[in-house]
Amino acid sequence: MQVDDCLFCKIARREIPSEVAYEDDEVIAFKDTQPIAPVHLLIIPKEHLLSVNEITPEYEPLIGHLFGVIQRLAQELGVTESGYRVVTNTGADGGQVVGHLHFHLLGGQALNAKIG
Ligand code: AMP
Ligand code: ZN
């Protein structure tokens, strides 16, 4: 299911332009418009899930697949060996701004211990 007024659903539907790095039937990855590192992608399920809180067991294959996509993108972007960080902000205290589950892939430089 997708949500009409969700920013990332609109990106998934290609209604809002983005720099897409990967796409398949279940997952899309695109560049963050305000990157905080040389590599900064957002990887999302196309299905609208609000946050980690909505990852019930039926979504385990999807999330496993999504992490396979993250591995592949890390390889393509050359950060597999140098290292990278996957961040998922959840809820207000977690600093989540966009209410559609997303994983930040950050790398290309030594990252500060603290993000956000
Ligand atoms: P979060 O704080 O985890 O919810 O992060 C939301 C992220 O979405 C931020 O890093 C924003 O820079 C990014 N963002 C917001 N609008 C867009 C957009 N239209 N395309 C790509 N990234 C976006
Ligand atoms: Zn959405």
Side-chain angles (χ1 to χ4, degrees), residues 1-13 44-50 98-101:
M1 192 193 93
Q2 293 202 327
V3 171
D4 283 351
D5 61 354
C6 169
L7 174 63
F8 286 177
C9 283
K10 286 180 181 173
I11 286 176
R13 289 195 298 265
I44 70 168
K46 288 187 171 177
E47 179 169 350
H48 182 86
L49 298 176
L50 180 60
V98 177
H100 180 129
L101 178 65

mmCIF file of all heavy atoms in Angstrom, residues 1-13 44-50 98-101, ligand 2:
data_model
loop_
_atom_site.group_PDB
_atom_site.id
_atom_site.type_symbol
_atom_site.label_atom_id
_atom_site.label_comp_id
_atom_site.label_asym_id
_atom_site.label_seq_id
_atom_site.Cartn_x
_atom_site.Cartn_y
_atom_site.Cartn_z
ATOM 1 N N MET A 1 0.831 -1.193 0.000
ATOM 2 C CA MET A 1 0.000 0.000 0.000
ATOM 3 C C MET A 1 0.869 1.248 0.000
ATOM 4 O O MET A 1 1.905 1.281 0.629
ATOM 5 C CB MET A 1 -0.903 -0.001 1.237
ATOM 6 C CG MET A 1 -1.998 1.028 1.187
ATOM 7 S SD MET A 1 -2.783 1.241 2.794
ATOM 8 C CE MET A 1 -1.813 2.584 3.445
ATOM 9 N N GLN A 2 0.430 2.250 -0.742
ATOM 10 C CA GLN A 2 1.128 3.525 -0.720
ATOM 11 C C GLN A 2 0.183 4.605 -0.215
ATOM 12 O O GLN A 2 -1.039 4.441 -0.228
ATOM 13 C CB GLN A 2 1.634 3.868 -2.118
ATOM 14 C CG GLN A 2 2.733 2.895 -2.570
ATOM 15 C CD GLN A 2 3.595 3.500 -3.643
ATOM 16 O OE1 GLN A 2 3.129 4.275 -4.467
ATOM 17 N NE2 GLN A 2 4.859 3.159 -3.653
ATOM 18 N N VAL A 3 0.780 5.685 0.218
ATOM 19 C CA VAL A 3 0.000 6.754 0.837
ATOM 20 C C VAL A 3 0.085 7.994 -0.054
ATOM 21 O O VAL A 3 1.165 8.389 -0.492
ATOM 22 C CB VAL A 3 0.529 7.034 2.262
ATOM 23 C CG1 VAL A 3 -0.101 8.280 2.849
ATOM 24 C CG2 VAL A 3 0.276 5.822 3.144
ATOM 25 N N ASP A 4 -1.058 8.599 -0.319
ATOM 26 C CA ASP A 4 -1.147 9.699 -1.287
ATOM 27 C C ASP A 4 -0.223 10.861 -0.965
ATOM 28 O O ASP A 4 0.433 11.404 -1.845
ATOM 29 C CB ASP A 4 -2.588 10.229 -1.353
ATOM 30 C CG ASP A 4 -3.483 9.307 -2.164
ATOM 31 O OD1 ASP A 4 -2.936 8.383 -2.803
ATOM 32 O OD2 ASP A 4 -4.703 9.518 -2.146
ATOM 33 N N ASP A 5 -0.196 11.264 0.308
ATOM 34 C CA ASP A 5 0.536 12.488 0.634
ATOM 35 C C ASP A 5 1.885 12.223 1.311
ATOM 36 O O ASP A 5 2.437 13.111 1.949
ATOM 37 C CB ASP A 5 -0.328 13.410 1.491
ATOM 38 C CG ASP A 5 -0.710 12.752 2.810
ATOM 39 O OD1 ASP A 5 -0.395 11.553 2.981
ATOM 40 O OD2 ASP A 5 -1.310 13.430 3.655
ATOM 41 N N CYS A 6 2.406 11.009 1.141
ATOM 42 C CA CYS A 6 3.712 10.683 1.730
ATOM 43 C C CYS A 6 4.817 11.013 0.726
ATOM 44 O O CYS A 6 4.802 10.550 -0.416
ATOM 45 C CB CYS A 6 3.762 9.206 2.118
ATOM 46 S SG CYS A 6 5.423 8.634 2.546
ATOM 47 N N LEU A 7 5.784 11.794 1.179
ATOM 48 C CA LEU A 7 6.886 12.214 0.298
ATOM 49 C C LEU A 7 7.599 11.021 -0.332
ATOM 50 O O LEU A 7 7.849 11.004 -1.549
ATOM 51 C CB LEU A 7 7.877 13.057 1.121
ATOM 52 C CG LEU A 7 9.164 13.478 0.425
ATOM 53 C CD1 LEU A 7 8.874 14.382 -0.765
ATOM 54 C CD2 LEU A 7 10.095 14.165 1.418
ATOM 55 N N PHE A 8 7.940 10.024 0.475
ATOM 56 C CA PHE A 8 8.729 8.912 -0.072
ATOM 57 C C PHE A 8 7.872 7.968 -0.917
ATOM 58 O O PHE A 8 8.383 7.350 -1.857
ATOM 59 C CB PHE A 8 9.470 8.180 1.047
ATOM 60 C CG PHE A 8 10.662 8.948 1.582
ATOM 61 C CD1 PHE A 8 11.409 8.439 2.648
ATOM 62 C CD2 PHE A 8 11.051 10.159 1.038
ATOM 63 C CE1 PHE A 8 12.508 9.131 3.140
ATOM 64 C CE2 PHE A 8 12.146 10.870 1.526
ATOM 65 C CZ PHE A 8 12.879 10.348 2.587
ATOM 66 N N CYS A 9 6.568 7.854 -0.626
ATOM 67 C CA CYS A 9 5.682 7.131 -1.544
ATOM 68 C C CYS A 9 5.655 7.829 -2.894
ATOM 69 O O CYS A 9 5.666 7.180 -3.947
ATOM 70 C CB CYS A 9 4.267 7.020 -0.978
ATOM 71 S SG CYS A 9 4.051 5.785 0.317
ATOM 72 N N LYS A 10 5.646 9.153 -2.881
ATOM 73 C CA LYS A 10 5.631 9.912 -4.142
ATOM 74 C C LYS A 10 6.929 9.692 -4.910
ATOM 75 O O LYS A 10 6.920 9.575 -6.134
ATOM 76 C CB LYS A 10 5.424 11.405 -3.869
ATOM 77 C CG LYS A 10 4.006 11.753 -3.472
ATOM 78 C CD LYS A 10 3.865 13.253 -3.227
ATOM 79 C CE LYS A 10 2.456 13.601 -2.818
ATOM 80 N NZ LYS A 10 2.339 15.011 -2.412
ATOM 81 N N ILE A 11 8.052 9.635 -4.193
ATOM 82 C CA ILE A 11 9.335 9.338 -4.851
ATOM 83 C C ILE A 11 9.288 7.927 -5.435
ATOM 84 O O ILE A 11 9.710 7.704 -6.570
ATOM 85 C CB ILE A 11 10.502 9.535 -3.860
ATOM 86 C CG1 ILE A 11 10.727 11.044 -3.647
ATOM 87 C CG2 ILE A 11 11.765 8.856 -4.366
ATOM 88 C CD1 ILE A 11 11.794 11.381 -2.627
ATOM 89 N N ALA A 12 8.744 6.975 -4.668
ATOM 90 C CA ALA A 12 8.653 5.594 -5.150
ATOM 91 C C ALA A 12 7.777 5.498 -6.398
ATOM 92 O O ALA A 12 8.032 4.694 -7.292
ATOM 93 C CB ALA A 12 8.111 4.683 -4.047
ATOM 94 N N ARG A 13 6.752 6.335 -6.453
ATOM 95 C CA ARG A 13 5.855 6.346 -7.630
ATOM 96 C C ARG A 13 6.409 7.212 -8.758
ATOM 97 O O ARG A 13 5.777 7.363 -9.791
ATOM 98 C CB ARG A 13 4.469 6.891 -7.238
ATOM 99 C CG ARG A 13 3.640 5.981 -6.375
ATOM 100 C CD ARG A 13 2.170 6.419 -6.340
ATOM 101 N NE ARG A 13 1.972 7.747 -5.785
ATOM 102 C CZ ARG A 13 1.660 8.004 -4.506
ATOM 103 N NH1 ARG A 13 1.512 7.000 -3.654
ATOM 104 N NH2 ARG A 13 1.488 9.233 -4.088
ATOM 105 N N ILE A 44 14.512 2.524 0.746
ATOM 106 C CA ILE A 44 13.169 2.388 1.330
ATOM 107 C C ILE A 44 12.427 1.216 0.706
ATOM 108 O O ILE A 44 12.653 0.883 -0.461
ATOM 109 C CB ILE A 44 12.322 3.683 1.137
ATOM 110 C CG1 ILE A 44 11.934 3.906 -0.327
ATOM 111 C CG2 ILE A 44 13.063 4.892 1.675
ATOM 112 C CD1 ILE A 44 10.875 4.989 -0.546
ATOM 113 N N PRO A 45 11.526 0.600 1.486
ATOM 114 C CA PRO A 45 10.562 -0.301 0.860
ATOM 115 C C PRO A 45 9.533 0.546 0.123
ATOM 116 O O PRO A 45 9.196 1.639 0.576
ATOM 117 C CB PRO A 45 9.918 -1.020 2.059
ATOM 118 C CG PRO A 45 10.054 -0.058 3.190
ATOM 119 C CD PRO A 45 11.305 0.748 2.935
ATOM 120 N N LYS A 46 9.066 0.069 -1.013
ATOM 121 C CA LYS A 46 8.033 0.846 -1.732
ATOM 122 C C LYS A 46 6.719 0.851 -0.957
ATOM 123 O O LYS A 46 5.956 1.817 -1.039
ATOM 124 C CB LYS A 46 7.838 0.277 -3.135
ATOM 125 C CG LYS A 46 9.013 0.579 -4.051
ATOM 126 C CD LYS A 46 8.734 0.153 -5.472
ATOM 127 C CE LYS A 46 9.820 0.669 -6.399
ATOM 128 N NZ LYS A 46 9.627 0.219 -7.789
ATOM 129 N N GLU A 47 6.483 -0.215 -0.237
ATOM 130 C CA GLU A 47 5.283 -0.252 0.596
ATOM 131 C C GLU A 47 5.433 0.737 1.743
ATOM 132 O O GLU A 47 6.497 0.849 2.357
ATOM 133 C CB GLU A 47 5.071 -1.672 1.141
ATOM 134 C CG GLU A 47 3.846 -1.754 2.034
ATOM 135 C CD GLU A 47 3.447 -3.170 2.370
ATOM 136 O OE1 GLU A 47 3.980 -4.120 1.776
ATOM 137 O OE2 GLU A 47 2.592 -3.316 3.273
ATOM 138 N N HIS A 48 4.347 1.430 2.032
ATOM 139 C CA HIS A 48 4.409 2.444 3.088
ATOM 140 C C HIS A 48 4.372 1.791 4.462
ATOM 141 O O HIS A 48 3.325 1.315 4.908
ATOM 142 C CB HIS A 48 3.249 3.433 2.960
ATOM 143 C CG HIS A 48 3.297 4.511 3.998
ATOM 144 N ND1 HIS A 48 4.031 5.670 3.826
ATOM 145 C CD2 HIS A 48 2.733 4.598 5.225
ATOM 146 C CE1 HIS A 48 3.896 6.424 4.903
ATOM 147 N NE2 HIS A 48 3.129 5.803 5.773
ATOM 148 N N LEU A 49 5.512 1.793 5.122
ATOM 149 C CA LEU A 49 5.598 1.432 6.536
ATOM 150 C C LEU A 49 6.093 2.685 7.240
ATOM 151 O O LEU A 49 7.013 3.350 6.758
ATOM 152 C CB LEU A 49 6.586 0.290 6.760
ATOM 153 C CG LEU A 49 6.264 -1.042 6.080
ATOM 154 C CD1 LEU A 49 7.396 -2.034 6.315
ATOM 155 C CD2 LEU A 49 4.954 -1.597 6.584
ATOM 156 N N LEU A 50 5.504 3.007 8.355
ATOM 157 C CA LEU A 50 5.843 4.252 9.038
ATOM 158 C C LEU A 50 7.265 4.242 9.575
ATOM 159 O O LEU A 50 8.029 5.200 9.405
ATOM 160 C CB LEU A 50 4.842 4.494 10.173
ATOM 161 C CG LEU A 50 5.034 5.748 11.014
ATOM 162 C CD1 LEU A 50 4.940 7.005 10.166
ATOM 163 C CD2 LEU A 50 3.993 5.788 12.135
ATOM 164 N N VAL A 98 10.796 12.132 8.141
ATOM 165 C CA VAL A 98 9.909 11.607 7.104
ATOM 166 C C VAL A 98 9.276 10.306 7.612
ATOM 167 O O VAL A 98 9.981 9.360 7.975
ATOM 168 C CB VAL A 98 10.667 11.362 5.787
ATOM 169 C CG1 VAL A 98 9.735 10.754 4.739
ATOM 170 C CG2 VAL A 98 11.272 12.665 5.270
ATOM 171 N N GLY A 99 7.949 10.273 7.604
ATOM 172 C CA GLY A 99 7.217 9.143 8.177
ATOM 173 C C GLY A 99 7.005 8.000 7.207
ATOM 174 O O GLY A 99 5.875 7.550 6.988
ATOM 175 N N HIS A 100 8.082 7.557 6.596
ATOM 176 C CA HIS A 100 8.078 6.368 5.732
ATOM 177 C C HIS A 100 9.407 5.685 5.996
ATOM 178 O O HIS A 100 10.473 6.312 5.818
ATOM 179 C CB HIS A 100 7.925 6.802 4.262
ATOM 180 C CG HIS A 100 7.906 5.677 3.263
ATOM 181 N ND1 HIS A 100 6.911 5.554 2.306
ATOM 182 C CD2 HIS A 100 8.752 4.645 3.047
ATOM 183 C CE1 HIS A 100 7.144 4.481 1.560
ATOM 184 N NE2 HIS A 100 8.272 3.917 1.997
ATOM 185 N N LEU A 101 9.352 4.446 6.426
ATOM 186 C CA LEU A 101 10.568 3.718 6.821
ATOM 187 C C LEU A 101 11.689 3.910 5.798
ATOM 188 O O LEU A 101 11.494 3.689 4.606
ATOM 189 C CB LEU A 101 10.227 2.226 6.940
ATOM 190 C CG LEU A 101 11.389 1.296 7.289
ATOM 191 C CD1 LEU A 101 11.940 1.579 8.672
ATOM 192 C CD2 LEU A 101 10.945 -0.162 7.163
HETATM 193 ZN ZN ZN B 2 5.085 6.404 2.268
#
